[in-house]
Amino acid sequence: MREFSAEERELFEWMADSLSFFEKTDLIPAEDIDIHEIVELSYHQAVLPIIYGKLMAADLAYEDKEFVKDTYKMACGEFYAFFFDLRKMLLLFKGANIPVVVLKGVSAARFYPVPESRKSSDIDLLLCDTDDMKRADDMLKRSGYRLLTKGYNIVHHFEYATPTNHILELHMMPAEPFDDEKLNRYIREVFRLGADDVMGISFMGADIPVMKDGKESFHLLIHMLQDFRRTGFGLKLLCDWVVFWNRDVEEEEKEKFLKLVRESGVTKFAAAVTGVCEKYLGLKTDISGKLNCPVDDGTLSELMADIVEAERNGKPSDDRMVNLRGTGVLSYIREFHHNVELNFPRAAKTVIAIPVLYVIVFFRFLRNNRTVRNGQKVSGILKSAGKRSRLSKKLL
């Protein structure tokens, strides 16, 4: 079992306190804590703005204090820039009578004690009805949006550059397809949204369409599961889970969430994520008991270690690869084929094209291994994938 450093433990404690509306003022770090290391950890995990108050109250070196200030100012500036861009595009969709809901971003930030502290890098919208995709594409192009996506992800989302050069991800599915078609079908059906699934909230003077809590929480979970199955996710997504459940959620919406979790077969992953947040980040909720799926303490520590390592240096470790559904040779073959389907969703339906596509994806893997993973040995990458897959087997 991996031991967390004193700085990591301190970061967890500061995050837990900062995510609460009843923040303490007496969390003084121990003398042997390296505050510079906490600054680095929080920055690479994209949670520095969340613990901004704690950092500014600590005994920071001048360079670290200026770095913390600049990072916080940038996060706040980006938050408002994305928000005002979002407000404009929501008016476009409303005018074209194309129903959408906001994913992540403002939809998650509204639960935070300081919404601006929730860092975002793009704007995500989900079409309530995927049949509206053509009309939405035409409307966006007429409004000065530039399509960036070519082929890849057409079963998941399209990317557009906004007139202000931000990125809009227009989703047809809330997450990238899994290598489990039964789960994919279920997700497609669940997120074909009707009027009863959507509500409007008032945020900073704007009307924002979001999903009701049952499906909103299920989306947060599916988003974490998608990233976990790829190269992993960092602490930021856990923060969304903490602030969502550390509030009063109506019992009816809780029951909707539990029904979705059970029917989709991801109960153990939901219990593990919730357990990690309770153990390390101050989550207080009755959802764990309602899930009725205990996860042992060792597995929770193993999952938290995987989450920390996923973003330790601002990006996944060089040897991190996808998380397989099993640990045998067939699991690697299945994942390889899944990558072929993701990269070439149309061509992969033609059996005669499969061998050519396998060759193309294999050479892409070798190229990425050289340019992205700094020439990591294939054996090391496979070893890492095997380790993460053993954890996956415990949670799925």
Side-chain angles (χ1 to χ4, degrees):
M1 186 185 301
R2 180 186 183 281
E3 291 293 330
F4 295 106
S5 69
E7 288 75 20
E8 288 170 336
R9 293 195 301 271
E10 193 76 20
L11 173 60
F12 301 157
E13 187 175 356
W14 285 10
M15 288 173 61
D17 191 49
S18 299
L19 291 170
S20 168
F21 279 88
F22 305 99
E23 190 173 354
K24 299 174 185 175
T25 58
D26 57 351
L27 284 181
I28 307 300
E31 292 183 1
D32 60 341
I33 294 292
D34 184 347
I35 301 297
H36 174 75
E37 177 66 15
I38 295 181
V39 171
E40 289 291 311
L41 283 168
S42 63
Y43 174 74
H44 291 311
Q45 292 281 345
V47 298
L48 186 153
I50 292 172
I51 62 166
Y52 172 74
K54 297 283 190 294
L55 289 171
M56 293 304 292
D59 186 19
L60 286 175
Y62 175 79
E63 293 81 2
D64 281 340
K65 182 164 286 191
E66 291 304 302
F67 176 76
V68 169
K69 286 181 181 178
D70 290 344
T71 302
Y72 185 71
K73 289 177 184 176
M74 184 177 296
C76 290
E78 288 178 342
F79 175 86
Y80 286 111
F82 282 122
F83 171 72
F84 290 118
D85 220 2
L86 169 66
R87 190 171 66 173
K88 291 176 185 176
M89 75 180 61
L90 287 176
L91 290 174
L92 286 175
F93 279 92
K94 185 177 181 180
N97 195 28
I98 301 174
V100 294
V101 292
V102 178
L103 300 178
K104 301 178 287 184
V106 168
S107 183
R110 63 191 160 116
F111 303 127
Y112 281 70
V114 181
E116 297 90 334
S117 68
R118 203 265 182 196
K119 184 174 174 56
S120 296
S121 56
D122 52 33
I123 299 169
D124 294 85
L125 297 178
L126 173 67
L127 288 166
C128 294
D129 187 341
T130 56
D131 291 342
D132 287 330
M133 185 63 232
K134 181 64 169 65
R135 284 201 305 130
D137 180 63
D138 291 340
M139 180 269 293
L140 289 170
K141 288 175 179 174
R142 287 195 308 270
S143 303
Y145 289 68
R146 180 165 47 89
L147 181 64
L148 301 176
T149 313
K150 299 294 182 183
Y152 183 65
N153 275 343
I154 62 169
V155 294
H156 173 213
H157 70 251
F158 284 91
E159 289 186 1
Y160 297 85
T162 74
T164 52
N165 214 31
H166 290 143
I167 299 298
L168 162 65
E169 292 188 356
L170 184 58
H171 290 252
M172 294 166 288
M173 286 182 67
E176 182 181 271
F178 296 92
D179 65 339
D180 180 343
E181 191 49 40
K182 181 180 178 182
L183 177 58
N184 292 335
R185 284 196 303 269
Y186 185 79
I187 290 173
R188 289 190 193 100
E189 183 61 31
V190 164
F191 291 101
R192 194 175 179 91
L193 304 175
D196 291 340
D197 301 311
V198 179
M199 66 179 184
I201 61 167
S202 179
F203 185 85
M204 293 176 56
D207 295 324
I208 309 293
V210 297
M211 289 180 282
K212 291 182 179 178
D213 283 348
K215 289 194 176 181
E216 177 73 17
S217 52
F218 186 57
H219 161 254
L220 292 175
L221 184 70
I222 290 298
H223 179 51
M224 281 190 282
L225 178 60
Q226 171 198 282
D227 286 357
F228 175 70
R229 291 291 302 274
R230 307 309 293 169
T231 55
F233 63 89
L235 293 172
K236 187 179 80 168
L237 296 190
L238 289 185
C239 294
D240 290 350
W241 199 245
V242 171
V243 295
F244 180 90
W245 290 111
N246 266 355
R247 49 189 272 277
D248 291 330
V249 179
E250 293 179 0
E251 288 300 319
E252 180 182 356
E253 295 301 318
K254 287 181 183 178
E255 290 304 318
K256 288 179 182 177
F257 166 74
L258 294 169
K259 180 175 183 289
L260 293 169
V261 166
R262 290 169 183 144
E263 289 180 349
S264 61
V266 296
T267 303
K268 195 154 191 178
F269 182 73
V273 167
T274 306
V276 161
C277 292
E278 290 173 326
K279 180 176 181 179
Y280 296 101
L281 298 180
L283 174 60
K284 293 178 176 61
T285 178
D286 61 354
I287 283 295
S288 292
K290 291 177 180 292
L291 286 166
N292 193 27
C293 183
V295 181
D296 66 87
D297 196 65
T299 300
L300 295 180
S301 298
E302 194 176 347
L303 175 58
M304 188 59 160
D306 184 81
I307 290 168
V308 172
E309 290 299 325
E311 294 292 337
R312 169 164 289 276
N313 296 307
K315 62 179 182 179
S317 305
D318 289 336
D319 63 356
R320 287 178 78 90
M321 198 177 86
V322 294
N323 205 328
L324 309 179
R325 275 204 289 159
T327 55
V329 174
L330 288 179
S331 298
Y332 289 94
I333 295 174
R334 181 173 57 219
E335 180 58 37
F336 189 79
H337 183 76
H338 180 55
N339 271 275
V340 168
E341 291 179 322
L342 288 178
N343 280 273
F344 305 98
R346 292 178 180 173
K349 295 177 181 179
T350 306
V351 176
I352 196 172
I354 292 293
V356 176
L357 300 180
Y358 270 45
V359 171
I360 293 173
V361 171
F362 177 71
F363 277 101
R364 281 187 181 180
F365 168 78
L366 295 179
R367 182 194 62 196
N368 291 339
N369 190 48
R370 184 180 69 256
T371 59
V372 179
R373 298 191 179 95
N374 299 317
Q376 284 287 316
K377 291 183 178 179
V378 174
S379 59
I381 295 171
L382 295 180
K383 182 179 179 181
S384 174
K387 177 184 176 182
R388 297 192 67 236
S389 298
R390 285 189 290 275
L391 172 60
S392 180
K393 192 173 182 180
K394 295 180 184 179
L395 303 180
L396 302 174

